[in-house]
Amino acid sequence: ISSVVNSAEAVAIGTIVGSNITNIALIFGVSCFAINQIKKRFSLESLIPFLLSFLLFLFALKDLQFSLLESLGFILILFYFLVILSKERSDIVQVVSGNSDLLKNFVILIMGLVLLVVGSNFAVIYAEKFAISIGISEVIVGLTILALGTSLPELAATISAILKGKNQMVIGNIIGSNILNLVIIVPIIGIFSSAIMPIELLERDSFPLIVLTLAFALIMLFLSRAQIPKYLGSILGFGFLSFYIIYVLNLSNLVSIF
């Protein structure tokens, strides 16, 4: 929203593309070192909106502009994803708190939301200024600095989940984050802006996104039938992390691959 208001839509798109790449290459890469602990009790149905949102994004990016019809398509995928979530069954422990805890949590929630809005506004404005000052494009800042910044909570949650043995949360975290990045952010840009996206997103960044998304989906399909040996998980983790490092170096023009 802040990017649209400040006419810096490239920052927003760069951020969600970079965040989706970071979620798989970096965060899932880290979790692969403990992938042998991940049980195969997860619903493959969530992969459908995961792949649908990805395919629609690639289709919408072909003309470097997001139309109203394409935005409605993303919104439909969002509703489909919510339907899937509503059907998921899990053991839920309800904790009833006192009124004092309820009021305290509500106040902290409001404070957090206010700081989030203010912080995101400053992040967009000064990310754009930073890009101009060092002579790089806004989309590069989104793909790297802002993308990593938005993915750090997922990384912290992933490490915490692995340490606490809640490995199913790792997969859900990555799938949910990648879906919501596309089905919420893209419609905002498509409905309220007619900006043309940088062609680099299509020519350079779509390839690593395609490779990582398909690799992640294939691993999830494999995990639904069997467990990956620890040594293979380590190899996958090393591969994903190496891919991420090479991708960032490529953006920095230190290497040229994509």
Side-chain angles (χ1 to χ4, degrees):
I1 293 173
S2 181
S3 296
V4 172
V5 170
N6 291 282
S7 299
E9 292 86 354
V11 173
I13 292 298
T15 300
I16 63 172
V17 171
S19 180
N20 282 18
I21 289 174
T22 303
N23 285 343
I24 299 177
L26 176 61
I27 297 171
F28 184 65
V30 170
S31 68
C32 280
F33 290 99
I35 202 170
N36 65 306
Q37 303 173 24
I38 298 178
K39 300 176 183 179
K40 52 184 180 181
R41 292 184 306 165
F42 60 88
S43 173
L44 283 178
E45 195 174 3
S46 61
L47 279 181
I48 299 176
F50 174 80
L51 292 173
L52 283 177
S53 60
F54 161 71
L55 292 173
L56 181 56
F57 179 74
L58 290 182
F59 174 79
L61 195 62
K62 287 180 65 176
D63 61 356
L64 301 177
Q65 198 170 21
F66 302 113
S67 67
L68 179 60
L69 186 60
E70 290 162 347
S71 300
L72 293 176
F74 282 108
I75 294 174
L76 287 176
I77 295 174
L78 170 61
F79 280 113
Y80 175 53
F81 181 53
L82 294 177
V83 170
I84 291 176
L85 292 180
S86 68
K87 294 193 296 184
E88 289 288 337
R89 295 180 179 180
S90 60
D91 296 327
I92 301 174
V93 179
Q94 293 184 345
V95 180
V96 180
S97 303
N99 291 332
S100 58
D101 290 338
L102 181 63
L103 179 61
K104 175 184 175 182
N105 292 338
F106 179 75
V107 171
I108 294 176
L109 170 64
I110 297 301
M111 290 175 59
L113 290 173
V114 171
L115 292 174
L116 182 62
V117 172
V118 174
S120 64
N121 187 54
F122 277 112
V124 169
I125 293 173
Y126 287 97
E128 183 180 14
K129 292 182 178 180
F130 177 76
I132 295 173
S133 65
I134 63 175
I136 62 175
S137 67
E138 297 171 355
V139 69
I140 295 293
V141 175
L143 287 165
T144 53
I145 300 172
L146 293 181
L148 181 60
T150 58
S151 294
L152 285 178
E154 278 85 358
L155 180 60
T158 294
I159 295 174
S160 177
I162 291 174
L163 293 177
K164 294 178 180 179
K166 299 183 181 296
N167 301 299
Q168 299 303 310
M169 193 179 295
V170 173
I171 295 175
N173 190 23
I174 295 170
I175 292 176
S177 179
N178 279 33
I179 292 174
L180 295 178
N181 275 348
L182 296 177
V183 301
I184 293 179
I185 308 302
V186 174
I188 292 176
I189 297 175
I191 294 172
F192 297 103
S193 172
S194 58
I196 303 297
M197 298 299 111
I199 195 171
E200 291 83 6
L201 286 172
L202 182 63
E203 295 179 344
R204 179 195 59 209
D205 304 304
S206 61
F207 175 73
L209 183 61
I210 292 170
V211 171
L212 290 170
T213 301
L214 295 180
F216 179 79
L218 289 173
I219 293 173
M220 291 302 100
L221 289 173
F222 184 86
L223 277 175
S224 67
R225 298 180 176 272
Q227 286 187 318
I228 293 179
K230 186 175 183 179
Y231 75 90
L232 184 55
S234 298
I235 293 174
L236 288 172
F238 180 78
F240 277 117
L241 292 177
S242 299
F243 191 97
Y244 179 73
I245 292 172
I246 293 172
Y247 173 69
V248 173
L249 291 176
N250 180 70
L251 291 178
S252 305
N253 292 322
L254 296 178
V255 297
S256 181
I257 294 179
F258 303 119

